[in-house]
Amino acid sequence: MGFFDFFSKEKKETLDKGLEKTKEGVFSKLARLVAGRTTVDDDLLDDLEEVLITSDVGIETTLRIIERIQQRVARDKYLSANELQTILREEIVALLTENNNSDDNGFVLGDSRRPYVIMVVGVNGVGKTTTIGKLAYQYKKNGYKVYLGAADTFRAAAVEQLDIWGERVGVPVIKQKMGADPASVAFDTLSSAKAGGADVVIIDTAGRLHNKVGLMNELTKIRKVMDKVVPGAPDEILLVLDGSTGQNAFEQARQFMAATEINALAVTKLDGTAKGGVVIGISDQFKIPVKYIGLGEGIEDLQPFNRKAFVESLFGDK
């Protein structure tokens, strides 16, 4: 089983299905790329470069991958074009390894302090609140006591949506009226969570980006208030990105990184797009670990990111 040890058969099927469009739309071109060719030469690498760029891996990351393959071919004297997929797979895993030091084997806190506080950021429409609900479900399923904080007070729909998830999962949602100070909601949430003996606290935040200074000030204020209640909080600042937006996801990541310190990524909606290569590019460009990937609408369809499983699924290995 190897690196699929923690994957149930159902989870692997979900991963394969979720990446199917990317695999069919782009990475299947690799097989046609090497057909009838015997050596890894400059022409083949040029064609490979085009395939990677059109899969939203990104230009800089693509050039890094090509350079690594050139070095590998020169060093190991690979001559067979048929070995290109193997080399490419291994180099992409190596690239992801640089920014994802360990594959998360599940929603397990281990020795992390309690409550473990996650602040979730991202523009509206990327699946931020849905990701929070699915995170809450997974942590609760693993026996943890979870609290949610509705600090996106800018949109009434955001509070309502989080409320629905709270009821669905069976976890408390701390909220105030629409337009309330988000930092005040964060304060109430952490205070209630501490009093209630919570293991995990997940705070939703507003997703507007029209004023970067305003966003930066708001997120900074929320973090300072959290730190007063739980020193060192938040433990995780999770940026949620919509994988189907391709290169736009790169720009969103840049904007939020300018506004606050991101230390984890969730890439959603990979099942509806052929742009799954964006996961590779974002991880490489921003040096932030991809922690979760969203592969469908189901409550179980948010998975911990496993770099080897991800790459093997893209290349269609069983």
Side-chain angles (χ1 to χ4, degrees):
M1 293 281 285
F3 50 78
F4 289 118
D5 285 349
F6 79 94
F7 266 34
S8 64
K9 181 183 177 185
E10 290 76 16
K11 280 189 175 181
K12 186 179 183 310
E13 287 174 352
T14 298
L15 181 64
D16 289 343
K17 186 177 179 183
L19 296 178
E20 196 169 15
K21 288 187 178 179
T22 296
K23 186 164 56 181
E24 289 179 355
V26 182
F27 284 89
S28 63
K29 292 178 183 177
L30 292 171
R32 296 194 293 274
L33 198 66
V34 299
R37 298 163 99 155
T38 56
T39 59
V40 180
D41 54 20
D42 288 342
D43 288 341
L44 180 56
L45 290 176
D46 285 344
D47 290 342
L48 174 61
E49 183 178 313
E50 183 180 343
V51 168
L52 292 174
I53 289 173
T54 57
S55 72
D56 284 275
V57 169
I59 294 174
E60 290 181 41
T61 301
T62 293
L63 293 177
R64 284 192 67 191
I65 291 170
I66 296 296
E67 184 180 357
R68 292 170 79 127
I69 291 175
Q70 286 174 324
Q71 292 171 351
R72 180 97 173 258
V73 170
R75 183 181 71 241
D76 298 340
K77 306 301 180 188
Y78 283 107
L79 298 175
S80 170
N82 291 327
E83 291 176 287
L84 180 62
Q85 278 210 35
T86 301
I87 302 168
L88 178 62
R89 181 170 62 239
E90 290 172 358
E91 291 304 327
I92 290 176
V93 169
L95 203 66
L96 289 170
T97 301
E98 292 176 8
N99 307 307
N100 292 267
N101 294 326
S102 62
D103 287 316
D104 191 338
N105 286 355
F107 300 87
V108 179
L109 293 179
D111 296 329
S112 300
R113 58 92 175 271
R114 310 291 197 272
Y116 184 80
V117 182
I118 305 169
M119 183 170 83
V120 183
V121 301
V123 299
N124 299 328
V126 297
K128 181 162 54 79
T129 310
T130 300
T131 297
I132 291 170
K134 291 177 179 180
L135 281 172
Y137 166 78
Q138 293 288 357
Y139 277 117
K140 187 183 179 190
K141 191 173 78 167
N142 280 347
Y144 298 114
K145 192 171 186 179
V146 182
Y147 276 62
L148 302 180
D152 182 357
T153 59
F154 189 69
R155 294 185 308 129
V159 178
E160 292 168 7
Q161 191 181 3
L162 200 66
D163 248 346
I164 291 169
W165 272 105
E167 289 177 14
R168 183 178 179 186
V169 178
V171 300
V173 177
I174 309 302
K175 59 186 178 180
Q176 295 181 13
K177 63 183 179 182
M178 184 182 171
D181 181 5
S184 176
V185 177
F187 180 88
D188 284 355
T189 304
L190 264 64
S191 298
S192 298
K194 278 184 72 177
D199 298 299
V200 183
V201 181
I202 310 174
I203 306 284
D204 192 9
T205 64
R208 56 196 187 280
L209 261 180
H210 64 268
N211 183 341
K212 189 161 59 177
V213 174
L215 176 70
M216 187 182 301
N217 291 340
E218 183 175 288
L219 294 177
T220 299
K221 185 179 177 183
I222 292 172
R223 290 177 62 187
K224 285 181 177 177
V225 166
M226 286 183 181
D227 182 61
K228 288 179 181 177
V229 184
V230 179
D235 301 278
E236 189 174 307
I237 302 178
L238 178 68
L239 172 61
V240 181
L241 297 168
D242 179 349
S244 69
T245 63
Q247 294 302 301
N248 283 343
F250 283 80
E251 184 55 33
Q252 288 175 26
R254 288 188 190 96
Q255 295 280 333
F256 275 96
M257 285 181 69
T260 192
E261 297 174 16
I262 309 297
N263 60 9
L265 298 172
V267 184
T268 65
K269 306 184 184 182
L270 291 174
D271 57 305
T273 181
K275 300 177 184 289
V278 75
V279 174
I280 300 164
I282 285 176
S283 175
D284 175 55
Q285 289 300 301
F286 299 107
K287 310 305 178 191
I288 299 171
V290 176
K291 195 165 185 183
Y292 312 105
I293 52 175
L295 299 161
E297 296 294 324
I299 200 166
E300 295 271 7
D301 291 342
L302 182 73
Q303 290 189 5
F305 179 67
N306 180 290
R307 58 189 185 266
K308 292 180 181 177
F310 179 85
V311 174
E312 293 297 335
S313 184
L314 277 184
F315 284 91
D317 285 19
K318 300 300 180 185

